[in-house]
Amino acid sequence: MELFVSFSEIIEYFKRNILKFIIVLAVFGIVFGLMPLKFVHHEYSCDTTMIISCEIPEDAQTDYRLQYTSILNSRVQTALSIATGKDLIAQTAERLGMDKSEITSIGAVQVNTAPVVKLTARTPNAAMADRIANMAAQVLGEKLSGAFPSPKLTAVISDKAIPAEPQSNKSVMLKAGILGLIIGFIIYVCFGIIVVLTDKTIRNSRYVSEALNTTLLGTVPLKGGSEKKENSFRKLRAAAVNCASGSNSFLVTDVCERNGAADVSVGLASALALSGKTVLLIDADLRGNGIAKLLNAKPQHSLEDVLKGSLSAEQAVSQTPVKGLSLVSGSDSDLSANPADLLFSEKFSELVKELSARFDYLIIHTPSEAQYPDADTIARLVGSVIMVAKYGSTPYHEFKNSFHRLNASGGRPIGFVTTDI
């Protein structure tokens, strides 16, 4: 990148793309908010606690009583083993009359070193979670009693499972939506910064001015109403006349196609005419007659007619709705000769000299300098050249090349105008 990128340019990018920014955030928020409906499945767990004990026979020997703790611990370990088996899930589901696939898992742990087992059942069915845990404990107790008939084993449920509270999809969707907004924000901000950092179009007019040692004559706003735009042309009028150093003829040309030179030409010409001056605007775009449409004028003749010798220069001049502003219209008809060749003719040179002497100011508009040679052909005939670039659209290298070509063609670029600011 040849030009420095400032933080203000990044901010300006987001201001100009605020609608896209909102759309991206909305899309991420909606997509992430709806994802729980497809991918997130709630799982509920309930705990049932049971106490295991063994009876000690009255005639038990002393050695048996000393081994009681070990015997009880072996029963607890057996209970933990049975609790993790698939048979317990199948029997529990059968007792409850439900499909075993609805039970995610059943597990058990010993509470500290006591003969206490905490059974945990997991299921996506909130209404059945506590019943599954309680039933699993009951089945486990029966299995233990059957496995150890002597000494008699007792498994008592001390704490039944507490019913699970169903989780709302709304809260999960809300959290996912907020996460989506955050991710969308981060992605768009990173994307915007990368776009600006890698963009080689004109975004900072001041740096262009300093890099090429030329003058920023003015900026034309993209929004703000007609009054704001008209005032921008009044500012351009003051800067252009001052930089022209007494010259009364201007060439206004786009750097690239549709950069806004036609609007700038009409705006500058109208601003000069409103100051009480007589102004002639020549539309030297022989590939179109956009100036006439902008001024809402309906000329009978065009510049093409003069260059072909069909009529005099004076006959080609027509009035416009703007007091003091006259127009020589361009042409959108098919030409047998290249427009640049017609503009390089002696007849056009004489036309410029003749008409510039009759008006206080002469403004000539040409199409894109980068695309057509018309501006380079005319540049030597006028006192000042004004280049027009479009914010965020005109590549800097195209602007620089046009600037040097116009200088080499004998033109005197006094500065440039940035449009759509």
Side-chain angles (χ1 to χ4, degrees):
M1 181 116 185
E2 298 182 65
L3 296 181
F4 175 75
V5 176
S6 66
F7 181 72
S8 61
E9 294 172 58
I10 297 175
I11 296 300
E12 183 64 26
Y13 172 83
F14 290 114
K15 286 182 179 179
R16 286 173 171 266
N17 295 276
I18 186 66
L19 182 58
K20 293 180 182 178
F21 178 64
I22 294 173
I23 292 174
V24 169
L25 287 187
V27 169
F28 270 84
I30 293 173
V31 170
F32 273 70
L34 294 177
M35 282 176 64
L37 297 179
K38 180 67 176 178
F39 300 104
V40 176
H41 301 285
H42 298 298
E43 189 173 87
Y44 305 90
S45 63
C46 285
D47 300 326
T48 299
T49 303
M50 58 189 303
I51 300 174
I52 299 174
S53 62
C54 293
E55 292 184 358
I56 301 177
E58 293 181 1
D59 58 347
Q61 300 297 320
T62 302
D63 290 344
Y64 180 86
R65 294 179 182 275
L66 292 175
Q67 296 174 6
Y68 177 77
T69 301
S70 298
I71 294 171
L72 192 58
N73 185 63
S74 69
R75 305 300 189 261
V76 171
Q77 296 306 314
T78 302
L80 298 180
S81 178
I82 295 174
T84 58
K86 294 182 179 180
D87 288 344
L88 183 61
I89 293 177
Q91 292 179 24
T92 301
E94 185 180 354
R95 294 273 188 99
L96 294 172
M98 60 188 297
D99 195 303
K100 65 179 182 179
S101 62
E102 292 188 59
I103 303 176
T104 305
S105 67
I106 295 176
V109 294
Q110 183 178 6
V111 179
N112 297 323
T113 58
V116 178
V117 174
K118 183 173 74 172
L119 201 76
T120 301
R122 292 182 174 84
T123 175
N125 190 337
M128 294 294 292
D130 61 319
R131 295 179 60 189
I132 292 172
N134 293 332
M135 182 57 70
Q138 181 179 331
V139 173
L140 177 60
E142 293 174 359
K143 279 179 167 290
L144 283 174
S145 299
F148 302 101
S150 178
K152 186 178 180 181
L153 182 146
T154 304
V156 180
I157 296 177
S158 59
D159 294 305
K160 287 189 175 183
I162 300 174
E165 184 176 346
Q167 296 183 25
S168 172
N169 280 334
K170 290 183 179 179
S171 61
V172 178
M173 291 174 66
L174 179 61
K175 292 177 182 178
I178 293 174
L179 177 62
L181 292 176
I182 294 173
I183 293 176
F185 176 83
I186 294 173
I187 290 177
Y188 192 84
V189 168
C190 293
F191 172 78
I193 292 174
I194 292 172
V195 167
V196 175
L197 291 176
T198 57
D199 187 6
K200 295 185 179 181
T201 61
I202 292 177
R203 290 184 177 274
N204 193 317
S205 301
R206 292 296 177 187
Y207 285 104
V208 176
S209 175
E210 294 175 8
L212 296 178
N213 193 26
T214 187
T215 304
L216 173 61
L217 298 172
T219 58
V220 180
L222 177 64
K223 300 177 181 179
S226 59
E227 183 177 356
K228 187 175 181 179
K229 186 171 287 190
E230 288 170 2
N231 285 333
S232 72
F233 290 129
R234 291 186 175 95
K235 293 177 182 178
L236 171 60
R237 174 184 64 191
V241 170
N242 178 63
C243 293
S245 302
S247 171
N248 74 329
S249 58
F250 298 91
L251 169 66
V252 181
T253 181
D254 277 323
V255 173
C256 296
E257 196 172 6
R258 291 188 291 274
N259 281 177
D263 289 313
V264 172
S265 299
V266 171
L268 176 59
S270 299
L272 288 168
L274 290 173
S275 67
K277 304 294 184 179
T278 57
V279 183
L280 175 64
L281 176 56
I282 298 178
D283 187 0
D285 185 358
L286 298 180
R287 300 171 181 81
N289 57 353
I291 298 292
K293 295 176 182 178
L294 287 174
L295 285 169
N296 198 25
K298 298 180 180 179
Q300 300 298 316
H301 305 288
S302 67
L303 177 61
E304 177 190 356
D305 299 325
V306 180
L307 298 179
K308 287 183 176 180
S310 302
L311 68 161
S312 65
E314 185 177 353
Q315 291 175 312
V317 176
S318 61
Q319 299 303 309
T320 69
V322 180
K323 184 180 179 181
L325 176 58
S326 302
L327 171 68
V328 175
S329 175
S331 173
D332 56 1
S333 61
D334 294 331
L335 301 177
S336 57
N338 188 287
D341 296 335
L342 293 175
L343 296 174
F344 195 74
S345 66
E346 189 63 30
K347 197 169 191 64
F348 183 75
S349 299
E350 293 174 357
L351 173 70
V352 172
K353 291 178 182 178
E354 178 185 346
L355 294 178
S356 61
R358 291 180 48 198
F359 293 87
D360 295 327
Y361 289 100
L362 173 68
I363 297 176
I364 303 176
H365 163 257
T366 60
S368 165
E369 190 281 335
Q371 188 171 1
Y372 304 109
D374 302 11
D376 302 287
T377 302
I378 300 173
R380 61 188 173 83
L381 303 178
V382 297
S384 305
V385 177
I386 298 175
M387 302 172 66
V388 180
K390 185 177 181 179
Y391 176 93
S393 176
T394 305
Y396 171 69
H397 74 276
E398 290 283 10
F399 184 96
K400 182 174 68 173
N401 292 339
S402 292
F403 180 79
H404 292 313
R405 280 194 297 264
L406 288 167
N407 270 301
S409 301
R412 190 174 76 91
I414 61 171
F416 67 101
V417 177
T418 307
T419 60
D420 284 4
I421 289 293

